Amino acid sequence: NTAINVGALRFTSHAASFVAFERGYFAEEGLDVNFRFFEAAQPMAVAIASGDADYAVTAISGGLISLAEKGAAKVIGGALSEEPGIDGQMILASNPAFEAGLTAPAMLDGKSFAVTQPGSSFHYMGAKIGAAESASLSYKPLQKVGAIIGAMKSGQVDAWTIVPHIGKALVGGGAVQQIGMVADYLPDYQVTTVFTSAANAAKERARTEAFLRAFSRGADDFNAALVDKIAGEDGADDMVKLIHKYVYADQPYEKASKSIVNGAMRLNKNASLNMGSVSDQVEWFKSEGLIKDSITTETLVDPSYAEMT
Amino acid sequence: MELTLEKVTHRYGDMPVLQDIDLRIPTGEILCIVGPSGCGKSTLLRLIGGLERPDEGRVLQDGAPPPGCLNPLTYVFQDFALLPWRSVGGNVTLVLEDHRLDGDERAAIIDDVLARTNLSAFRNALPRQLSGGMKQRVAIARALAVNPAVMLLDEPLSALDAQTRELLMEDLVGLWARQPFTAVYVTHNLAEAVRLGHRVAVLSRRPGRLREMLEIDMPLDERGVGDARLDSVQQHLWHLMKDEAMAADQELLDV
Amino acid sequence: MELTLEKVTHRYGDMPVLQDIDLRIPTGEILCIVGPSGCGKSTLLRLIGGLERPDEGRVLQDGAPPPGCLNPLTYVFQDFALLPWRSVGGNVTLVLEDHRLDGDERAAIIDDVLARTNLSAFRNALPRQLSGGMKQRVAIARALAVNPAVMLLDEPLSALDAQTRELLMEDLVGLWARQPFTAVYVTHNLAEAVRLGHRVAVLSRRPGRLREMLEIDMPLDERGVGDARLDSVQQHLWHLMKDEAMAADQELLDV
Amino acid sequence: MSETHIRPVPFRGGGFRPVAKRGVGLIVFVTLLALIEWGTRTGWISNLTLPQPSDVAMTLVDLARSGMLWTHLAPSLSRLAVGAVLGVSAGIGVGILIGLFSHVRAGLIPLVAALFPIPKIALLPLFVIWFGIDEASKYALIALGTFTPTVVATYGAVDNVDRTLIRMGQSFGLSWLSIVRKIVLPGALPGILSGMRVSIAIGIILLVAAEMLGAEFGIGAYILQAGALYDLERLFAGVVILSALGVLTSWVIGRLETRLLRWRT
Amino acid sequence: MSETHIRPVPFRGGGFRPVAKRGVGLIVFVTLLALIEWGTRTGWISNLTLPQPSDVAMTLVDLARSGMLWTHLAPSLSRLAVGAVLGVSAGIGVGILIGLFSHVRAGLIPLVAALFPIPKIALLPLFVIWFGIDEASKYALIALGTFTPTVVATYGAVDNVDRTLIRMGQSFGLSWLSIVRKIVLPGALPGILSGMRVSIAIGIILLVAAEMLGAEFGIGAYILQAGALYDLERLFAGVVILSALGVLTSWVIGRLETRLLRWRT
Ligand SMILES: Nc1ncnc2c1ncn2[C@@H]1O[C@H](COP(=O)(O)OP(=O)(O)OP(=O)(O)O)[C@@H](O)[C@H]1O
Ligand SMILES: Nc1ncnc2c1ncn2[C@@H]1O[C@H](COP(=O)(O)OP(=O)(O)OP(=O)(O)O)[C@@H](O)[C@H]1O
Ligand SMILES: [Mg+2]
Ligand SMILES: [Mg+2]
């Protein structure tokens, strides 16, 4: 068996790896998986480049593209994507802003919009929503999701987008208001992708394909249990229990399960990648001057592993 | 104005430093105080000047200070105590600033004391540019500026080299000859004591007691190096103190 | 072993400090060097001991150091230069550690020099517990431990108070009487110079030149306070130097 | 008549010598805590602003009871220890070289001066590439943070060694190595130790930055996590632990000083 | 025979007085840069590890040309200035009170000692609530970071004012205020200035932390963004700017010292 390190965040969106591991799909492919957990996506991308992790799942960020440009990382497949009809990422407004009239994305003009960092996926979503509503937004970089939540609760920023399991809890608590869905603006948004180091992509084909196969089986199980809900109550419960080992492990099951169920979004079948969304994102990064103009999707993506749609 | 000490006793913590000191400081005379190291000479001077309160006994002043006296009891310190960031003139001005004097008066005082100490040419020099002897001259000028009733000098020459010491001793004699002042002069140096003291008080080892009081009735300006009578007084003093000085020297300081 | 200075001249930067010094330091005698402040006395001593190289001229040693001499030219410094983190014994041991001596020899030397300087009881005391006089005794003991051919003393007593100075002068005379040593003794203090010097060299103001060389042929142990002949030599010296001392004192240091 | 003029010399000394009284410090602390406790309980201080001190204390107790305190403290302490030992010892070595050799001094002082104001968090992404995401990068970050202040303190201390002691050593013909070992190093020790106080305080501060990088356990990670969740009780519990750690190491160095520097007045 | 014994006294002094030579520092710098340039060009140093120095220089030039340098520098400088002025002046005030009054000393020293090792980034989430995400929280963070070291340096400086000067003032009957104004403050100035050196260096380091919070422009924000994009050229360009800022402020304080402390030897 070959030992590999898989980078992960303790989010529901990383469930495919957890499922593949717990149900032995990795072992069946001859892979000894060792998870390396991170607090944020950016250091995980750097860790792939430094060789501390072999495979990981993360959003397409400026950092990831830069690393790809330096020949250190390659996207090899898709993971989470928006799909109309499934609860996806939400557009939120803070209570004071909502009371002042920010009740729909159309009213965003001149408002402040929270992002972790310039060039993050939040920034991309904000920009796309803003462009669609021809609203000009001012972006507030706050580094951490926690800081953003604090700023939203105390009304220091007006709007934000966030994954459903966090958003629903916030809206449910009355701390913020939902004013729209991201999927309405970015219907096929490829939120996260599977990536690895360029060396792995080029030289470890067999191992990489094995990883993707196991990963896709995990994704299928997840979709069946929590997205399409075709595995029945018990199947869903089993799945939640499995994921709870990794996500919200420090919270009681009842509380955690709600968050996990809330957070279930479609994981791409067979790790297929929505190239349209990817190239849209790359173009946007270029237009913002965040990455070099010479970068193309070819720099970023190795299309030989998964289906490109 | 005369000062009188009555049964002054002082302790630091449990350690008695001075014991039953009775002393009179008459006007117009220099009283030298000698004693071995650590016997409490500096403490005695601080008590006299009101910088410290005696544990027992009293320090009394009799009569009013002379007119024009801004600070009756005025110190000259061993290490000069000049403000390094003020010029010679500024250091003298310092002690006049808290008194209501008009500008002319102040300037007159400063000119006068600088002239008396031969410092007029150094008015704008900073202390760091001066030799030790010059620094102590500035300190003396500063003391003179407040026209003190009693000058309290704590080993004013012992930070200076031997030759400068000699020069300053002559200066002090000259100052006194022109205008006699009252002074208490603490020193280790017996030669200084016999050159400058009208009377010399000898303290014992700690706790300091008054062991002897010598009177030297020779005018200050007639005293000089190699005078047989002064030499004999000095030898008498050394005789009195040698054993105690040795004992004081051999003591371990337990800091 | 004898030392000879031939036309020694030294400068710091552009400032000449010593000019054409010719000097002979004969065995078994104490040569005192006096001069006004800043005339280059310490520089001269550093040149003699090889701590500095003369710009011009030469410092020569004639003959071999005596047997058992570990460090022919040995200093005693004004500020004692004791390692504060070593005890009295440790400070003496320091200068023996770089020499190949067996333990017994080393112990014997240390016992001997501590006994000669009356320090045996203080062997384990730290410098901070000692009075100034005791510290300088330790420095002298350390110098004696290497059995020097020539001792170079740079104002060894001027950091001490007058009474301790007197005591240490007697100690030095006692040490020399028991076992004469060769020494160059730099001082400001004319009384010291006439008490301890077989010969006294007088330097002029900076740049220091040799102005006069006095010989005092009275045995050291017969000299004392109030001796008329010494007094007259001392007055002669003061006469020679007073004007220069005054000029040196009045000089502005341009640091 | 004259009798009326006799009066004691007025006292005008004293003062300007403040002394620290232990008790008062404690009282101020307790009063402050009591005030905050009262404020948070009555709602006069909103629970978004400050946590209730008693809740923080409870959190600390729980942390200790559950054994999690040790789980978080142990890795942090080992990171601090390894990083600080590396940084401080390299710093002392380089500082001594700068203090002794003109060429080293000329070459390295500008480098150290340029390195000093670089914020170590800015270099975090690089540290991952250079040292990986495991312990090595945490050690390196803390080592780098403690290195520069130690260098500066050490060469300052070597510069301040009394030159007459060195001349004394030379005048007795001591070898170069003897002078360095027996005079320069002990003479520089007080300065080096007081520099270490600052360096280790900086090391503690950097724990949080170091544990931004893939640390699951550690006081810094605990604080970061609490901050991300805006869990003020845990945040303050972590801060209290770091603060206590700082006071403790400062006390240890104080003990070390009184022991090693008994020779000082 | 005797002639052969005559020889010059051997020289054994000198040394132990290293002098900084300006040139050497520059040479070391240039050599180091050249080495890295060569290494990165040949690929011997991977472009993930270090950027090419010439690219960093180009980035700096571009930044300056496009005017973005000023766009980023101006807010950072104003944050540093306002924060440091607040922190340093409060620190000097509190430090002087601690130095003069026993009760203040007893009450505040333990508080300051406990505050010192708290990592300021840990408090970022609180600062958002306390001071908002705009300039106020950045000023507050930098002020807090510069406050504690200034306090410590200031009361140390007041403690070190020569007590004989104070006794002198009392013996001449100067008023309490005169003594404080004319003796204590000027006497403490050297210590306060050298403390300011450290405080401002810390302020610069904290710029990055301060600009983590909702700053669009600023050198710290620029560095953070470059780090997030793993854009090493820009990251290093930012670091170079901060480092230069640090060297510059240190130089300014040095000038201030030579001007204000001309009276020192
Ligand atoms: N403020 C103080 N607190 C405690 N002890 C003190 C204080 N001032 C002086 N002493 C101690 O009191 C004794 C007498 O000190 P004092 O300075 O009066 O002696 P002195 O005769 O002036 O000594 P010296 O000849 O060294 O100047 C000494 O043992 C000294 O250590
Ligand atoms: N290392 C040095 N570099 C530059 N100038 C020096 C140095 N050492 C001494 N000087 C200067 O050389 C002159 C002579 O100094 P030296 O110390 O030899 O005089 P001195 O006679 O011993 O003085 P003092 O009586 O004050 O001890 C002084 O003006 C001094 O400032
Ligand atoms: Mg005294
Ligand atoms: Mg000298």
Side-chain angles (χ1 to χ4, degrees), chain B residues 41-43 78 154-155 186 188:
Chain B
K41 302 182 293 296
S42 300
T43 308
Q78 176 178 2
D154 192 357
E155 308 197 32
V186 164
H188 261 109

Side-chain angles (χ1 to χ4, degrees), chain D residues 35-51:
Chain D
L35 216 72
I36 297 174
E37 180 77 31
W38 173 81
T40 43
R41 267 176 202 265
T42 59
W44 178 72
I45 300 173
S46 118
N47 65 351
L48 269 179
T49 313
L50 280 177

Side-chain angles (χ1 to χ4, degrees), chain B residues 17-40:
Chain B
V17 173
L18 289 168
Q19 189 94 43
D20 292 324
I21 306 276
D22 281 307
L23 209 60
R24 206 176 55 86
I25 297 146
T27 313
E29 270 193 15
I30 298 179
L31 168 68
C32 284
I33 297 180
V34 297
S37 270
C39 75

Side-chain angles (χ1 to χ4, degrees), chain B residues 101-180:
Chain B
L101 295 172
D102 63 41
D104 289 349
E105 268 179 299
R106 193 172 291 170
I109 292 177
I110 295 171
D111 288 343
D112 174 52
V113 296
L114 290 184
R116 275 158 76 191
T117 47
N118 289 320
L119 288 168
S120 305
F122 297 93
R123 192 171 190 144
N124 296 317
L126 284 172
R128 69 175 164 88
Q129 300 176 286
L130 302 179
S131 68
M134 295 304 278
K135 283 186 206 158
Q136 196 57 293
R137 281 196 187 89
V138 178
I140 292 170
R142 178 176 64 185
L144 293 174
V146 293
N147 193 16
V150 182
M151 287 242 267
L152 305 169
L153 303 103
D154 192 357
E155 308 197 32
L157 307 186
S158 65
L160 306 176
D161 68 67
Q163 294 168 39
T164 313
R165 200 146 54 212
E166 196 66 38
L167 293 171
L168 259 144
M169 243 187 304
E170 290 175 15
D171 283 7
L172 281 174
V173 170
L175 279 172
W176 192 88
R178 270 208 284 164
Q179 187 180 325

Side-chain angles (χ1 to χ4, degrees), chain B residues 161 163, chain C residues 10-13 15-18 35-46 52 78 154-155 186-188 203 206 251 253, chain E residues 17:
Chain B
D161 68 67
Q163 294 168 39
Chain C
H10 198 67
R11 276 177 219 92
Y12 285 120
M15 181 178 71
V17 173
L18 290 169
S37 271
C39 75
K41 301 182 294 296
S42 300
T43 307
L44 183 60
L45 213 60
R46 284 201 296 273
E52 209 142 351
Q78 176 177 2
D154 192 358
E155 308 197 34
V186 164
T187 181
H188 261 108
L203 294 189
R206 198 180 61 218
E251 203 162 72
L253 319 168
Chain E
R17 203 178 278 285

Side-chain angles (χ1 to χ4, degrees), chain B residues 128-129 131 137 249 253 255, chain C residues 128-129 131 249 253 255:
Chain B
R128 69 175 164 88
Q129 300 176 286
S131 68
R137 281 196 187 89
D249 192 37
L253 318 169
V255 211
Chain C
R128 70 174 164 91
Q129 300 176 286
S131 68
D249 192 36
L253 319 168
V255 211

Side-chain angles (χ1 to χ4, degrees), chain E residues 19-177:
Chain E
V19 268
K21 296 164 198 157
R22 281 195 167 225
V24 182
L26 204 68
I27 292 172
V28 169
F29 246 119
V30 170
T31 318
L32 212 66
L33 286 184
L35 215 72
I36 296 175
E37 181 77 31
W38 173 80
T40 43
R41 267 177 203 265
T42 60
W44 178 72
I45 300 174
S46 118
N47 64 349
L48 276 176
T49 312
L50 281 177
Q52 238 164 268
S54 56
D55 285 348
V56 175
M58 280 302 298
T59 311
L60 279 170
V61 170
D62 283 350
L63 208 58
R65 280 236 187 90
S66 67
M68 283 305 279
L69 178 61
W70 189 240
T71 317
H72 284 297
L73 205 52
S76 285
L77 285 180
S78 84
R79 282 163 197 154
L80 183 64
V82 176
V85 165
L86 287 175
V88 166
S89 50
I92 289 176
V94 171
I96 287 173
L97 292 181
I98 289 180
L100 290 178
F101 301 107
S102 285
H103 282 281
V104 180
R105 159 168 306 224
L108 291 190
I109 283 193
L111 221 60
V112 171
L115 222 56
F116 201 37
I118 295 179
K120 309 301 169 291
I121 6 171
L123 300 181
L124 275 184
L126 276 178
F127 272 66
V128 175
I129 298 287
W130 291 352
F131 303 103
I133 53 167
D134 292 327
E135 297 303 295
S137 62
K138 296 169 189 77
Y139 298 156
L141 189 78
I142 291 173
L144 182 65
T146 51
F147 174 74
T148 40
T150 309
V151 170
V152 173
T154 303
Y155 79 71
V158 172
D159 286 356
N160 277 337
V161 172
D162 191 350
R163 294 296 124 167
T164 49
L165 293 183
I166 293 177
R167 300 293 159 223
M168 182 276 291
Q170 294 181 320
S171 80
F172 278 97
L174 299 195
S175 66
W176 186 87
L177 211 68

